[in-house]
Amino acid sequence: MCIRDRGMMSEEGQPSREGGSIDYPEVMERMINTRLIMLEARDIGLFDLEEVRQAVDAFAKEQLIRQLLLIKGRKIQPTAEQIDEVYRPLVEQVQLATLKFSDREDAVKAAGKIAGGLDFAVIAAQLQESGTAEVEMAADHLAVERLIPSIREAVAGLAPGEVTPVLEIEQGAVVLQLVDRRWPENAEAREKATSQVARSLRAEYLKEYLAGLIGSYAKIDEGLLKGLDYEAEEPGYQALKDDPRVLATISNPPGRGEKITVGDLTDYLAVS
């Protein structure tokens, strides 16, 4: 286990001092333990076992691939606009004026008057005076992500001053007016959005990068690959393990082809 894998090295390869100074004796003890275990494994002949050699080789290749993709992906950085697309929904808040009705028909009548051009505040005052609705004109800002789905959807496209249609809720019905919409700064949410966007962009980039490599340097026998069935009784695992048929040929650089056989795939599946 390398120091970086134990969380003790920064991305730049320098010793991490987060949370205090480095415990050098502890690091040294881990290094010594690793060496002792390796020596013990060698002395008992563990490295002479075919399955162990295959597992070690597979792990080494996976780590090499991981490091290559990590290096390639580092150059992909999200723009401020891409981050904002994820960040703004996380922190968005709305201020709503609320008309709450116990009778849906009263809500429909009020919504009709507002749609006909009467001012929301005037209607609200009339409803409050008659006791037809509970009115709240200066509510606190609410986090959009905490609103119930029907209300969140209804206010999503509103501009300040615009009004929702009648919305049914558990206790009756409401008509809402958007008073204000804001996106307060939140360092934790911005960091979360930045990380999420970066992961998504890097995953897409690496997918295209690998597809490009395959398209440029690999020739795959799609028919043979699709015909393999490791769950079938015939030809059986051992036969597939010894199968020399070529599944793919990799030519990088050209003229130095490396072949991947059915047996290679079978061995890989056995240790992965």
Side-chain angles (χ1 to χ4, degrees):
M1 177 69 70
C2 68
I3 292 177
R4 181 187 298 279
D5 290 336
R6 296 303 297 262
M8 300 183 64
M9 293 289 286
S10 67
E11 284 296 324
E12 292 75 22
Q14 299 300 320
S16 172
R17 289 174 172 79
E18 182 178 355
S21 61
I22 298 174
D23 187 348
Y24 290 104
E26 181 182 356
V27 175
M28 195 65 199
E29 182 179 348
R30 289 177 181 172
M31 292 178 65
I32 292 171
N33 287 340
T34 300
R35 295 291 179 87
L36 290 173
I37 292 172
M38 294 291 289
L39 289 172
E40 179 68 13
R42 185 187 66 185
D43 290 344
I44 65 175
L46 194 61
F47 291 149
D48 295 331
L49 299 177
E50 178 64 21
E51 58 268 30
V52 173
R53 287 203 301 270
Q54 289 179 359
V56 171
D57 184 55
F59 178 77
K61 289 179 180 178
E62 287 177 2
Q63 290 302 303
L64 183 62
I65 293 170
R66 180 175 177 271
Q67 291 302 316
L68 171 63
L69 297 183
L70 181 63
I71 292 171
K72 286 288 184 180
R74 278 179 182 165
K75 70 178 183 180
I76 305 300
Q77 299 295 332
T79 65
E81 292 76 13
Q82 290 171 324
I83 293 172
D84 275 347
E85 287 183 10
V86 175
Y87 169 75
R88 287 167 70 89
L90 293 177
V91 300
E92 184 179 13
Q93 297 177 351
V94 291
Q95 186 181 34
L96 302 171
T98 307
L99 307 178
K100 180 181 176 183
F101 302 85
S102 57
D103 188 334
R104 188 180 186 283
E105 290 302 318
D106 291 333
V108 172
K109 292 177 183 177
K113 292 179 181 180
I114 295 170
L118 289 180
D119 186 72
F120 185 94
V122 172
I123 295 294
Q126 294 174 354
L127 293 170
Q128 189 169 37
E129 184 177 356
S130 66
T132 305
E134 296 179 27
V135 178
E136 188 172 15
M137 295 296 291
D140 294 334
H141 282 80
L142 304 170
V144 170
E145 65 177 5
R146 301 186 65 178
L147 298 174
I148 63 175
S150 59
I151 292 180
R152 184 166 62 242
E153 182 178 347
V155 303
L158 295 184
E162 293 183 334
V163 179
T164 69
V166 176
L167 303 172
E168 295 188 12
I169 60 174
E170 187 175 343
Q171 301 86 358
V174 294
V175 176
L176 307 172
Q177 182 186 54
L178 179 66
V179 178
D180 183 45
R181 190 188 300 274
R182 69 184 186 186
W183 298 268
E185 186 59 34
N186 183 306
E188 183 179 351
R190 186 167 291 281
E191 182 179 353
K192 177 181 178 181
T194 301
S195 177
Q196 180 178 331
V197 174
R199 284 198 306 270
S200 177
L201 290 176
R202 288 166 186 167
E204 185 62 29
Y205 168 79
L206 293 176
K207 180 180 178 181
E208 294 177 359
Y209 170 72
L210 291 173
L213 288 180
I214 293 173
S216 298
Y217 302 112
K219 183 178 180 180
I220 302 173
D221 188 333
E222 299 287 355
L224 177 57
L225 181 60
K226 291 180 180 179
L228 295 178
D229 186 354
Y230 284 92
E231 296 182 359
E233 293 186 6
E234 297 293 337
Y237 172 79
Q238 189 58 48
L240 292 172
K241 180 177 172 61
D242 298 332
D243 194 330
R245 289 179 296 171
V246 176
L247 277 171
T249 302
I250 301 172
S251 54
N252 183 22
R256 289 180 54 189
E258 180 176 343
K259 300 183 186 302
I260 298 177
T261 67
V262 174
D264 293 331
L265 175 62
T266 306
D267 287 338
Y268 180 81
L269 293 174
V271 298
S272 62

